[in-house]
Amino acid sequence: MRTRQAVEIKRNAEPPQMSGLPVLGSALDLMRDPLAFFVRGYHELGSVYRVRAANRDLYVLAGRQANLFMTQKGDGVLHSHELFGDFARELETEIFLVALDGAEHRHLRGEMRDGYAREAYTRYLPEMSALIQTTARAWRVGETIPVTRMLQRLISRQLGYAVAKLDPAPYFDDLTLFLNTIMNAAVLKTWPRVMLKDPRYTRAKSRVMNMAREILRQHRAAPDAARAPDLIDDLLRATTLDGQPLSEAALIAATVGPMIAGIDTAANTLSFLLYSLLKNPDTLARVRADVDRASANEYPTYADLKEMRALHGATLETLRMYPVAFAVPRASVAAFEFDGYTIPNQQEVFVASGVTHYLPEFFPEPYKFDPERYDAPRQEHRKAGVFAPYGLGAHTCLGAGMAEVLIMFTAAMLLRTVDLELDPPDYVLNVRNLPLPRPDNRFRMRVAAQR
């Protein structure tokens, strides 16, 4: 009887709230290191807690049960449109994959699946190899390379070719300014909305939209009968849920999507991977041995990549320790119960999916870079609900397979082309959130030798 009464009291009570500063609440902690903040909240307050960040009141769900809930039931009560709808409207459409939910989302995801598949990248490995080698061969021995910015350009160019047969290099600065502004001002709301009126942003947005129009024009002028179809070809054939062709605005938005998708995800992950390898010489030696075993070929094939266990383990460990998608932001569309608490309707909710990555009951010594934790018999990531680097639920990253191959292939090609070292050698990683986690601008590599 007392147990039932205790459950009723908990259900009717608000979850505990993280302590914070007057007025600002926990806003500064969320800006500095949100994943560490969510992990601390889980240890101090449990699987459900409230956070006040300036003028926002958030509910946080964290831990393995939260991840399982999001995977199994979350999409019925937690929707994306309420947070990403402004992103879609800024692109002048309501049909935008990350801003859709339910049947509409499932349908459009199916229409775009092949264009984001692993094979959309692997069929162009010769071209990607040439691009990566040309980039690395241009570096002089002794030269210092700003890592993240270089990788953002390199990843952007590879994705542009894979999904649209276009080199977006002339638009790179526009793409980064557009992405950072729209994410901070329209989605995360960490910047005032007036930033969407800034002339620098509006110019960048205009150029990005014109780039998308040019991609669509080229694909319409040269149908895919004589070449491998890509994402843009799929979009031109795609329909809405009721069978209508996608509007021009929806096509432009869907074309822009992959052009910006890798700038703050795959490129940042690859930056963290290179840092981790250069900081851990033993792991780097094992990865180099993997890469060198495939050196008889001009470039590693997909079959070669699948045999690179050390590189794959290092990539997974990077995704665990530095997940760029460390939380799933949503808004509730109905009241629901989780772990004894009632989450109200129309509530902004963060499912802190990356918290489990730092729980020792799932990943012993979670702050240690240990790529062997993914090998048999350990395989610590295999337990359901503990490893979630690509999000959770229906909106799990559609391009996860492509991204993983892109990251591994680019790392392998760089390591077989040049010898790199940290500059300075004692550099210690400092993560900034702009808006997603990335190494700070002091992260640089020195070219020690051309191989």
Side-chain angles (χ1 to χ4, degrees):
M1 187 68 175
R2 283 195 299 270
T3 301
R4 182 181 301 173
Q5 185 178 25
V7 170
E8 288 299 325
I9 292 172
K10 188 176 180 182
R11 182 181 293 118
N12 293 325
E14 287 188 319
Q17 180 168 307
M18 286 287 281
S19 59
L21 298 172
V23 183
L24 288 176
S26 300
L28 295 179
D29 287 332
L30 278 171
M31 290 174 63
R32 290 188 189 111
D33 193 341
L35 180 52
F37 175 79
F38 290 142
V39 171
R40 178 164 63 88
Y42 176 82
H43 285 304
E44 292 180 1
L45 302 177
S47 61
V48 191
Y49 54 92
R50 293 177 298 129
V51 174
R52 185 173 56 81
N55 61 346
R56 299 167 68 190
D57 290 305
L58 315 173
Y59 275 52
V60 177
L61 312 184
R64 181 175 181 239
Q65 292 308 312
N67 290 357
L68 291 173
F69 174 84
M70 187 66 210
T71 300
Q72 298 164 3
K73 302 177 180 178
D75 294 307
V77 292
L78 292 170
H79 280 193
S80 179
H81 182 266
E82 282 71 12
L83 292 177
F84 287 93
D86 284 347
F87 195 132
R89 285 184 285 275
E90 187 66 12
L91 292 171
E92 302 170 12
T93 182
E94 292 291 334
I95 307 297
F96 188 51
L97 188 64
V98 296
L100 294 175
D101 296 290
E104 282 188 302
H105 175 262
R106 288 191 296 273
H107 174 80
L108 185 58
R109 189 179 174 96
E111 298 282 76
M112 301 169 72
R113 191 179 309 278
D114 289 346
Y116 277 101
R118 180 184 295 112
E119 293 72 22
Y121 179 84
T122 57
R123 67 167 64 105
Y124 298 115
L125 291 185
E127 291 84 353
M128 303 308 179
S129 168
L131 174 60
I132 298 164
Q133 282 197 316
T134 299
T135 299
R137 290 293 182 208
W139 299 336
R140 301 181 308 276
V141 173
E143 182 177 357
T144 296
I145 309 297
V147 179
T148 303
R149 192 73 170 171
M150 175 274 293
L151 290 176
Q152 287 178 327
R153 288 182 181 275
L154 188 56
I155 294 299
S156 175
R157 295 183 70 187
Q158 291 183 72
L159 284 174
Y161 191 86
V163 304
K165 307 298 184 296
L166 178 120
D167 185 351
Y171 301 94
F172 177 77
D173 290 336
D174 303 297
L175 288 164
T176 54
L177 177 58
F178 171 78
L179 174 63
N180 288 339
T181 305
I182 200 170
M183 283 295 296
N184 282 293
V187 179
L188 299 176
K189 299 177 176 60
T190 53
W191 293 359
R193 190 170 177 81
V194 71
M195 294 297 292
L196 298 175
K197 304 295 184 183
D198 185 291
R200 291 169 298 178
Y201 168 74
T202 56
R203 281 194 299 270
K205 175 185 172 183
S206 176
R207 281 181 50 80
V208 168
M209 303 288 265
N210 286 338
M211 177 198 70
R213 293 186 185 99
E214 176 60 18
I215 291 171
L216 291 167
R217 185 197 67 76
Q218 291 181 8
H219 279 68
R220 286 173 172 137
D224 62 349
R227 57 177 170 78
D230 57 28
L231 174 65
I232 309 305
D233 297 306
D234 294 343
L235 291 172
L236 290 170
R237 288 190 289 264
T239 65
T240 60
L241 185 60
D242 59 2
Q244 298 301 308
L246 296 181
S247 68
E248 192 68 9
L251 286 169
I252 290 171
T255 301
V256 168
M259 296 296 149
I260 60 178
I263 290 176
D264 260 356
T265 53
N268 292 0
T269 299
L270 183 52
S271 297
F272 288 127
L273 173 60
L274 289 177
Y275 169 81
S276 299
L277 292 176
L278 295 177
K279 204 70 174 175
N280 294 274
D282 291 344
T283 301
L284 177 60
R286 289 193 292 272
V287 170
R288 276 202 184 281
D290 268 358
V291 172
D292 290 342
R293 275 191 289 272
S295 62
N297 301 320
E298 184 178 350
Y299 56 85
T301 64
Y302 178 52
D304 291 331
L305 290 177
K306 290 196 292 184
E307 295 300 317
M308 294 183 183
R309 300 307 306 164
L311 177 57
H312 187 237
T315 302
L316 293 180
E317 183 69 337
T318 300
L319 288 164
R320 180 190 71 84
M321 293 191 70
Y322 309 107
V324 294
F326 55 82
V328 180
R330 292 290 182 266
S332 59
V333 293
F336 65 94
E337 186 176 321
F338 178 74
D339 199 16
Y341 289 105
T342 298
I343 313 302
N345 187 19
Q346 298 183 332
Q347 172 63 52
E348 190 173 358
V349 176
F350 274 61
V351 181
S353 50
V355 165
T356 51
H357 294 193
Y358 281 90
L359 299 183
E361 58 265 38
F362 306 128
F363 297 99
E365 296 184 88
Y367 294 91
K368 176 184 177 182
F369 187 79
D370 181 7
E372 295 181 9
R373 66 173 83 241
Y374 305 94
D375 295 337
R378 292 170 66 182
Q379 296 183 316
E380 295 164 7
H381 64 306
R382 292 292 189 183
K383 189 171 186 178
V386 305
F387 186 63
Y390 296 111
L392 295 163
H395 283 265
T396 299
C397 178
L398 182 57
M402 180 194 289
E404 201 163 292
V405 173
L406 184 156
I407 290 164
M408 289 181 61
F409 184 79
T410 305
M413 287 303 304
L414 288 173
L415 292 174
R416 73 181 292 174
T417 305
V418 288
D419 288 336
L420 299 165
E421 55 191 29
L422 290 174
D423 187 18
D426 60 351
Y427 169 77
V428 176
L429 182 67
N430 181 34
V431 179
R432 298 192 65 192
N433 293 276
L434 299 165
L436 299 182
R438 72 173 70 164
D440 70 0
N441 292 333
R442 295 184 302 110
F443 175 35
R444 296 169 180 266
M445 301 183 303
R446 180 181 173 275
V447 180
Q450 289 280 350
R451 302 190 85 202

